[in-house]
Amino acid sequence: MAETGYINGSDLLLSIGGKPVGHCTSHKLTFNTETKDRAVKPLATQGSNAGLWKEKGVNGLSITISAEGLRFYSETEGGFTEISALWGAGTSVEVKAFPRKDGKETNQKAYLVGKFVITSLEEDSPAQDDATYSVSLENDGEPTTYPGKQSAVAAAAK
């Protein structure tokens, strides 16, 4: 992966259960924040419009992942067959998101590492077209590595 310029999506890889997602056409990481609104009555010295603005509080963080790939007869990575076996086990799986380096897969600089639950696995097999699959995952507890974790640790220490 080039260290300058724009990042090409093909240079970012996802592995599920120790194997890169096979013949992956795309993957998406979504960082979610659960919030709570707090409506506060305005001070008597303020106008009634001051009460229209609500405060927000964060009461939860989560990460969801989705990936899509092509079904391939001679799959050597983590394709539909491998991922469906992980789903069928009904347990959390190790997930990593990492950059490709020098044409090789490496997770030494993974930017997301943690346990995730496979929440859905879907196969799409249209006539006279490529068979595809998609998988969705949700974090199972706090990941060991994620973007912003160092900032979160520093903020909690204050």
Side-chain angles (χ1 to χ4, degrees):
M1 182 167 76
E3 297 293 329
T4 60
Y6 296 104
I7 297 173
N8 184 316
S10 293
D11 290 334
L12 301 177
L13 302 175
L14 179 71
S15 75
I16 299 174
K19 288 187 170 186
V21 176
H23 290 85
C24 186
T25 56
S26 71
H27 74 268
K28 180 188 292 190
L29 309 178
T30 305
F31 301 89
N32 304 296
T33 305
E34 295 174 30
T35 62
K36 177 180 180 174
D37 287 342
R38 289 190 182 93
V40 180
K41 295 179 184 180
L43 297 174
T45 57
Q46 295 177 323
S48 60
N49 284 347
L52 297 177
W53 295 97
K54 297 177 182 176
E55 295 178 1
K56 292 269 189 194
V58 175
N59 61 356
L61 299 173
S62 64
I63 300 172
T64 56
I65 300 172
S66 61
E68 297 178 350
L70 299 170
R71 297 284 316 262
F72 188 67
Y73 284 114
S74 304
E75 187 64 73
T76 59
E77 296 183 326
F80 179 83
T81 303
E82 292 79 4
I83 294 172
S84 63
L86 295 171
W87 170 82
T91 60
S92 298
V93 295
E94 180 85 42
V95 172
K96 294 181 181 179
F98 55 95
R100 181 188 314 266
K101 183 134 176 103
D102 300 326
K104 297 177 187 159
E105 296 163 3
T106 176
N107 56 21
Q108 294 175 348
K109 293 187 178 182
Y111 54 93
L112 176 66
V113 178
K115 293 288 187 182
F116 285 74
V117 174
I118 298 171
T119 56
S120 70
L121 179 62
E122 186 175 282
E123 179 183 36
D124 189 13
S125 305
Q128 300 301 314
D129 202 353
D130 293 331
T132 62
Y133 67 95
S134 61
V135 59
S136 296
L137 304 104
E138 294 178 3
N139 65 291
D140 179 12
E142 181 180 9
T144 55
T145 303
Y146 57 88
K149 183 168 185 171
Q150 295 307 318
S151 298
V153 170
K158 289 182 180 180

